Coordinates of all heavy atoms in Angstrom, one line a residue:
Chain B
E203 N -80.5 36.8 13.0 CA -79.1 36.8 12.4 C -78.7 35.4 12.1 O -78.5 34.5 12.9 CB -78.1 37.4 13.4 CG -78.3 38.8 13.7 CD -77.3 39.4 14.5 OE1 -76.1 39.0 14.4 OE2 -77.6 40.3 15.4
K204 N -78.7 35.2 10.8 CA -78.4 33.8 10.3 C -77.0 33.3 10.7 O -76.8 32.1 10.8 CB -78.6 33.7 8.8 CG -80.0 33.9 8.4 CD -80.1 33.8 6.9 CE -81.6 33.9 6.5 NZ -81.7 33.8 5.0
S205 N -76.2 34.3 10.8 CA -74.8 33.9 11.1 C -74.6 33.4 12.5 O -73.5 32.8 12.8 CB -73.9 35.0 10.8 OG -74.2 36.1 11.7
Q206 N -75.6 33.6 13.3 CA -75.4 33.1 14.7 C -76.2 31.9 15.0 O -77.4 32.0 15.2 CB -75.7 34.3 15.6 CG -74.8 35.5 15.4 CD -75.4 36.8 15.8 OE1 -76.5 36.8 16.4 NE2 -74.7 37.8 15.4
E207 N -75.6 30.9 14.9 CA -76.3 29.6 14.9 C -76.2 28.9 16.3 O -77.2 28.3 16.7 CB -75.7 28.6 13.9 CG -75.8 29.1 12.5 CD -77.2 29.3 12.1 OE1 -78.1 28.6 12.6 OE2 -77.5 30.2 11.3
A208 N -75.1 29.1 16.9 CA -74.9 28.3 18.1 C -74.1 29.1 19.1 O -73.4 30.0 18.7 CB -74.2 27.0 17.7
L209 N -74.3 28.7 20.2 CA -73.6 29.5 21.2 C -73.1 28.5 22.2 O -73.8 27.6 22.7 CB -74.6 30.4 21.9 CG -74.1 31.3 23.0 CD1 -73.1 32.3 22.4 CD2 -75.2 32.1 23.7
L210 N -71.9 28.8 22.5 CA -71.3 27.9 23.6 C -71.6 28.5 24.9 O -71.5 29.7 25.2 CB -69.8 27.9 23.4 CG -69.2 27.1 22.3 CD1 -67.8 27.3 22.2 CD2 -69.6 25.6 22.5
T211 N -72.1 27.7 25.7 CA -72.3 28.1 27.1 C -71.5 27.2 28.0 O -71.1 26.1 27.6 CB -73.8 28.1 27.5 OG1 -74.2 26.7 27.4 CG2 -74.6 28.9 26.6
I212 N -71.3 27.8 29.1 CA -70.5 27.0 30.0 C -71.3 26.6 31.2 O -72.0 27.5 31.8 CB -69.3 27.8 30.5 CG1 -68.3 27.8 29.3 CG2 -68.6 27.1 31.7 CD1 -67.0 28.3 29.7
E213 N -71.3 25.4 31.5 CA -71.9 25.0 32.8 C -70.9 25.0 33.8 O -69.9 24.3 33.7 CB -72.5 23.6 32.6 CG -73.8 23.6 31.8 CD -74.4 22.2 31.7 OE1 -73.9 21.4 32.5 OE2 -75.3 22.0 31.0
G214 N -71.1 25.8 34.8 CA -70.2 25.8 35.9 C -69.4 27.1 35.8 O -69.7 28.0 35.0
N215 N -68.5 27.2 36.7 CA -67.8 28.4 36.9 C -66.6 28.4 35.9 O -65.6 27.7 36.1 CB -67.3 28.6 38.3 CG -66.5 29.8 38.5 OD1 -66.5 30.7 37.6 ND2 -65.9 29.9 39.7
A216 N -66.7 29.1 34.9 CA -65.7 29.1 33.8 C -64.5 30.0 34.1 O -63.6 30.1 33.3 CB -66.3 29.4 32.5
Q217 N -64.6 30.7 35.2 CA -63.6 31.7 35.5 C -62.2 31.0 35.7 O -61.2 31.7 35.5 CB -64.0 32.5 36.7 CG -65.0 33.6 36.3 CD -65.4 34.4 37.5 OE1 -65.0 34.0 38.6 NE2 -66.1 35.5 37.3
S218 N -62.3 29.9 36.1 CA -61.0 29.2 36.4 C -60.4 28.6 35.2 O -59.3 28.0 35.2 CB -61.1 28.2 37.5 OG -62.0 27.2 37.1
L219 N -61.0 28.7 34.1 CA -60.5 28.1 32.9 C -59.3 28.9 32.4 O -59.3 30.1 32.4 CB -61.5 28.1 31.8 CG -62.6 27.0 31.9 CD1 -63.7 27.3 30.8 CD2 -62.0 25.7 31.7
S220 N -58.3 28.2 32.1 CA -57.1 28.9 31.6 C -56.8 28.5 30.2 O -57.4 27.6 29.7 CB -55.9 28.6 32.5 OG -55.6 27.2 32.3
K221 N -56.0 29.3 29.6 CA -55.7 29.1 28.2 C -55.2 27.7 27.9 O -55.4 27.1 26.9 CB -54.6 30.1 27.7 CG -55.1 31.0 26.7 CD -54.0 32.0 26.3 CE -54.6 33.0 25.4 NZ -53.6 34.0 25.0
S222 N -54.4 27.2 28.9 CA -53.7 26.0 28.6 C -54.6 24.8 29.0 O -54.2 23.6 28.8 CB -52.4 25.9 29.4 OG -52.8 26.1 30.8
E223 N -55.7 25.0 29.5 CA -56.5 23.9 30.0 C -57.2 23.1 28.8 O -57.6 23.7 27.8 CB -57.6 24.3 31.0 CG -57.0 24.2 32.4 CD -58.1 24.6 33.4 OE1 -58.7 25.7 33.2 OE2 -58.3 23.9 34.3
L224 N -57.2 21.9 29.0 CA -57.8 21.1 28.0 C -59.4 21.2 28.1 O -59.9 21.1 29.2 CB -57.4 19.7 28.2 CG -58.2 18.6 27.5 CD1 -58.0 18.7 26.0 CD2 -57.9 17.3 28.0
V225 N -60.0 21.4 27.0 CA -61.4 21.4 27.0 C -61.8 20.2 26.2 O -61.6 20.1 25.0 CB -62.0 22.7 26.5 CG1 -63.5 22.6 26.4 CG2 -61.6 23.9 27.3
Q226 N -62.4 19.3 26.8 CA -62.8 18.1 26.1 C -64.2 17.8 26.6 O -64.4 17.6 27.8 CB -61.8 17.0 26.6 CG -62.1 15.7 25.9 CD -61.2 14.7 26.5 OE1 -60.4 15.0 27.4 NE2 -61.3 13.5 26.1
N227 N -65.0 17.6 25.7 CA -66.4 17.6 26.1 C -67.1 16.5 25.3 O -66.9 16.3 24.2 CB -67.0 18.9 25.9 CG -68.4 19.0 26.4 OD1 -68.7 18.2 27.3 ND2 -69.2 19.9 25.9
K228 N -68.0 16.0 26.1 CA -68.9 15.1 25.4 C -70.3 15.3 26.0 O -70.5 15.0 27.1 CB -68.5 13.6 25.6 CG -69.3 12.7 24.8 CD -68.8 11.3 25.1 CE -69.7 10.3 24.3 NZ -69.3 8.9 24.6
L229 N -71.1 15.9 25.2 CA -72.4 16.2 25.7 C -73.4 15.9 24.6 O -73.3 16.4 23.5 CB -72.5 17.7 26.1 CG -73.8 18.1 26.8 CD1 -73.9 17.4 28.1 CD2 -73.9 19.6 26.9
T230 N -74.3 15.1 25.0 CA -75.4 14.7 24.0 C -74.7 14.3 22.7 O -75.2 14.6 21.6 CB -76.4 15.8 23.7 OG1 -75.7 16.9 23.2 CG2 -77.1 16.2 25.0
G231 N -73.8 13.5 22.9 CA -73.1 12.9 21.7 C -72.3 13.8 20.9 O -71.8 13.5 19.8
K232 N -72.1 15.0 21.4 CA -71.3 16.0 20.6 C -70.1 16.4 21.4 O -70.1 16.4 22.6 CB -72.1 17.2 20.3 CG -73.3 16.9 19.3 CD -74.2 18.0 19.2 CE -75.4 17.6 18.4 NZ -76.4 18.6 18.3
K233 N -69.1 16.8 20.7 CA -67.9 17.2 21.5 C -67.4 18.5 21.0 O -67.5 18.9 19.9 CB -66.8 16.1 21.2 CG -67.2 14.8 21.8 CD -66.2 13.8 21.4 CE -66.6 12.5 22.0 NZ -65.8 11.4 21.6
V234 N -66.8 19.1 21.9 CA -66.0 20.4 21.7 C -64.6 20.1 22.0 O -64.3 19.6 23.0 CB -66.6 21.5 22.5 CG1 -65.8 22.8 22.2 CG2 -68.0 21.7 22.3
I235 N -63.8 20.4 21.0 CA -62.4 20.1 21.2 C -61.5 21.2 20.9 O -61.9 22.2 20.4 CB -62.0 18.9 20.3 CG1 -62.1 19.3 18.9 CG2 -62.8 17.6 20.6 CD1 -61.4 18.4 17.9
N236 N -60.3 21.0 21.3 CA -59.2 21.9 20.9 C -59.4 23.4 21.3 O -59.1 24.3 20.6 CB -59.0 21.9 19.4 CG -58.5 20.6 18.9 OD1 -57.8 19.9 19.6 ND2 -58.9 20.3 17.7
N237 N -60.0 23.6 22.5 CA -60.2 24.9 22.9 C -59.2 25.4 23.9 O -59.1 24.7 25.0 CB -61.6 25.1 23.5 CG -62.7 24.9 22.5 OD1 -62.4 24.8 21.3 ND2 -63.9 24.8 22.9
Y238 N -58.6 26.4 23.7 CA -57.8 27.1 24.7 C -58.6 28.3 25.1 O -58.8 29.2 24.2 CB -56.4 27.4 24.1 CG -55.6 26.2 23.9 CD1 -55.6 25.5 22.7 CD2 -54.8 25.7 25.0 CE1 -54.9 24.4 22.6 CE2 -54.1 24.6 24.8 CZ -54.1 23.9 23.6 OH -53.4 22.8 23.4
L239 N -59.0 28.4 26.2 CA -60.0 29.4 26.6 C -59.4 30.6 27.2 O -58.5 30.5 28.0 CB -61.0 28.7 27.6 CG -61.7 27.5 27.1 CD1 -62.5 26.9 28.1 CD2 -62.5 27.7 25.8
D240 N -59.9 31.7 26.8 CA -59.5 32.9 27.4 C -60.1 33.0 28.8 O -61.1 32.3 29.1 CB -60.0 34.1 26.6 CG -59.1 34.3 25.4 OD1 -58.0 33.7 25.3 OD2 -59.6 35.0 24.5
Q241 N -59.4 33.7 29.6 CA -59.9 33.8 30.9 C -61.1 34.8 31.1 O -61.6 35.0 32.2 CB -58.8 34.2 31.9 CG -57.8 33.0 32.0 CD -56.6 33.4 32.9 OE1 -56.4 34.5 33.1 NE2 -56.0 32.4 33.4
N242 N -61.4 35.5 30.1 CA -62.4 36.5 30.2 C -63.8 35.8 30.1 O -64.1 35.2 29.1 CB -62.3 37.5 29.1 CG -61.0 38.2 29.2 OD1 -60.8 39.0 30.1 ND2 -60.1 37.9 28.3
I243 N -64.5 35.9 31.1 CA -65.8 35.2 31.1 C -66.9 36.3 31.1 O -66.8 37.3 31.7 CB -65.9 34.5 32.5 CG1 -64.7 33.6 32.7 CG2 -67.2 33.7 32.5 CD1 -64.5 32.5 31.6
I244 N -67.8 35.9 30.3 CA -69.0 36.8 30.2 C -70.1 36.2 30.9 O -70.4 35.0 30.7 CB -69.3 37.0 28.7 CG1 -68.1 37.7 28.0 CG2 -70.6 37.9 28.6 CD1 -68.3 37.6 26.5
N245 N -70.6 36.9 31.8 CA -71.7 36.4 32.6 C -72.9 36.2 31.8 O -73.4 37.0 31.1 CB -72.0 37.4 33.8 CG -72.9 36.7 34.8 OD1 -73.6 35.8 34.5 ND2 -72.7 37.2 36.0
N246 N -73.3 35.0 31.8 CA -74.4 34.6 31.0 C -75.7 35.1 31.4 O -76.7 35.0 30.7 CB -74.4 33.1 30.8 CG -75.2 32.6 29.7 OD1 -75.4 33.3 28.8 ND2 -75.7 31.4 29.9
S247 N -75.8 35.6 32.6 CA -77.1 35.9 33.2 C -77.8 36.9 32.4 O -79.0 36.8 32.1 CB -76.9 36.3 34.6 OG -76.1 37.5 34.6
S248 N -77.0 37.9 31.9 CA -77.7 38.9 31.1 C -78.2 38.4 29.8 O -79.2 38.8 29.2 CB -76.8 40.1 30.9 OG -75.6 39.7 30.3
I249 N -77.4 37.5 29.2 CA -77.8 36.9 28.0 C -79.1 36.1 28.2 O -80.0 36.2 27.4 CB -76.7 36.0 27.4 CG1 -75.5 36.8 27.1 CG2 -77.2 35.2 26.2 CD1 -74.3 36.0 26.6
N250 N -79.0 35.4 29.2 CA -80.2 34.5 29.5 C -81.4 35.4 29.7 O -82.5 35.0 29.3 CB -79.9 33.7 30.8 CG -79.0 32.6 30.5 OD1 -78.9 32.1 29.4 ND2 -78.2 32.2 31.5
S251 N -81.1 36.6 30.3 CA -82.3 37.5 30.5 C -82.8 37.9 29.2 O -84.1 37.9 28.9 CB -81.8 38.7 31.3 OG -81.3 38.3 32.5
S252 N -81.9 38.3 28.3 CA -82.4 38.8 27.0 C -83.0 37.6 26.2 O -83.8 37.9 25.3 CB -81.3 39.4 26.2 OG -80.3 38.4 25.9
F253 N -82.6 36.4 26.5 CA -83.2 35.3 25.8 C -84.5 34.9 26.5 O -85.2 33.9 26.1 CB -82.3 34.1 25.9 CG -81.0 34.3 25.1 CD1 -80.0 33.5 25.2 CD2 -80.9 35.4 24.2 CE1 -78.8 33.7 24.5 CE2 -79.8 35.6 23.4 CZ -78.7 34.7 23.6
G254 N -84.9 35.6 27.5 CA -86.1 35.3 28.2 C -85.9 34.1 29.1 O -86.9 33.4 29.5

Side-chain angles (χ1 to χ4, degrees):
Chain B
E203 292 187 37
K204 289 181 179 179
S205 62
Q206 296 155 10
E207 298 300 327
L209 181 65
L210 284 174
T211 62
I212 290 193
E213 287 184 9
N215 182 8
Q217 281 180 348
S218 61
L219 284 169
S220 68
K221 245 182 186 176
S222 59
E223 268 182 311
L224 163 72
V225 177
Q226 178 189 2
N227 185 23
K228 185 181 179 183
L229 185 69
T230 62
K232 295 169 185 177
K233 293 177 182 173
V234 179
I235 64 164
N236 294 331
N237 291 353
Y238 290 89
L239 303 175
D240 285 343
Q241 288 178 340
N242 299 290
I243 308 300
I244 300 165
N245 193 331
N246 193 28
S247 58
S248 55
I249 295 177
N250 286 332
S251 302
S252 67
F253 293 165

